[in-house]
Amino acid sequence: MADDQALTKSAPRPAAETPPRRGRGRPVGDREGRRAELLEAAMKVIAEEGIAAASLRRVAKRAGCTTGAVSYYFANKEAMMAAVIESRFDQFDKLLEIGDDAASVRRGFERWLEITTTEDAVWAAGFQLLAYARNEPALAAAYQRRYAHYRGVFASILAKGQQQGWVRTDIAADLLADQLSAMGDGWMMLYPIEPARFGPKRVKALLDATMAIISPPAPSPGKRSA
């Protein structure tokens, strides 16, 4: 009996199963989802505190993780800023994936206005990044490349519309794409200053006017015979 008790006391308890070790700062789980969360946190820090405050450490604090977790995705602040720019253009590119007919183009501009009027961090961070990129060649190059791609895809949609007859042909498609893109940027710039001008009725009027701009001109009425 004593021997049995001794064996019972000395028998080792099964060790608790420990999670696999991971490298310092290496995230687990949904990496793409985590990266998107960090970019969102970076954009909010930029919008609310300015680019000067958007360090890896500050973004990590905002995202509720370690600085090492942020540096796993972004080598430095400049790389993080470039990734934010790329992520914003990814969203803009999606506006052109909804179709290539007149209704789809109208819906694209409608969605642009929705982003402008509902996602404050987008325009606030975007304008700061644009100003910052003036003195950062790598970021400026990212803007040039992605904006050129956006305009190119948009121009191809408008060119197809010219062939189908719902886009005017007296102005080149690439010029129309440039003008309309600049118009959308203008909405995004003006909304935070004059939000009252972007009520539902005016937004509808803006969309109607946009489609009128790209539609073929109405034929001139024939002169009445004497």
Side-chain angles (χ1 to χ4, degrees):
M1 188 68 173
D3 291 341
D4 291 341
Q5 291 177 347
L7 288 173
T8 301
K9 291 180 180 180
S10 61
R13 295 181 180 180
E17 186 173 345
T18 57
R21 299 186 65 181
R22 55 192 177 93
R24 182 181 179 184
R26 182 179 297 275
V28 295
D30 181 6
R31 294 185 180 183
E32 288 302 317
R34 188 55 174 161
R35 186 176 187 274
E37 291 175 359
L38 294 176
L39 290 174
E40 186 73 17
M43 191 163 55
K44 288 181 178 178
V45 171
I46 295 170
E48 297 172 9
E49 304 178 42
I51 287 183
S55 63
L56 298 186
R57 179 176 297 180
R58 188 72 187 89
V59 171
K61 183 177 180 181
R62 183 62 179 259
C65 64
T66 65
T67 305
V70 179
S71 62
Y72 172 76
Y73 291 99
F74 313 112
N76 49 43
K77 178 177 178 177
E78 286 66 31
M80 184 172 61
M81 296 298 101
V84 171
I85 293 171
E86 298 283 353
S87 71
R88 301 328 303 161
F89 274 99
D90 287 344
Q91 183 177 12
F92 296 148
D93 285 348
K94 289 180 181 178
L95 300 178
L96 301 178
E97 295 176 357
I98 57 178
D100 55 5
D101 56 7
S104 297
V105 169
R106 181 187 177 97
R107 176 55 188 159
F109 276 103
E110 184 178 11
R111 177 59 185 143
W112 186 292
L113 281 165
E114 289 173 357
I115 294 173
T116 298
T117 57
T118 59
E119 300 183 19
D120 291 348
V122 172
W123 57 259
F127 292 144
Q128 292 197 51
L129 280 167
L130 191 60
Y132 185 69
R134 292 183 61 188
N135 299 314
E136 293 291 336
L139 298 186
Y143 270 111
Q144 293 170 2
R145 173 174 51 81
R146 292 302 301 267
Y147 214 156
H149 172 76
Y150 176 88
R151 290 195 306 268
V153 175
F154 192 18
S156 67
I157 292 175
L158 295 176
K160 185 175 181 179
Q162 289 176 329
Q163 295 173 358
Q164 295 173 343
W166 57 270
V167 175
R168 64 193 304 162
T169 58
D170 58 330
I171 300 177
D174 65 310
L175 294 179
L176 282 175
D178 211 335
Q179 292 285 353
L180 294 173
S181 298
M183 184 176 66
D185 291 339
W187 293 341
M188 194 169 287
M189 291 176 63
L190 289 174
Y191 172 73
I193 300 172
E194 301 179 282
R197 292 183 59 235
F198 292 85
K201 289 184 178 180
R202 186 170 180 82
V203 165
K204 182 180 182 304
L206 286 172
L207 293 172
D208 290 342
T210 300
M211 299 311 297
I213 289 172
I214 66 175
S215 297
S220 301
K223 294 182 179 180
R224 296 182 178 180
S225 56

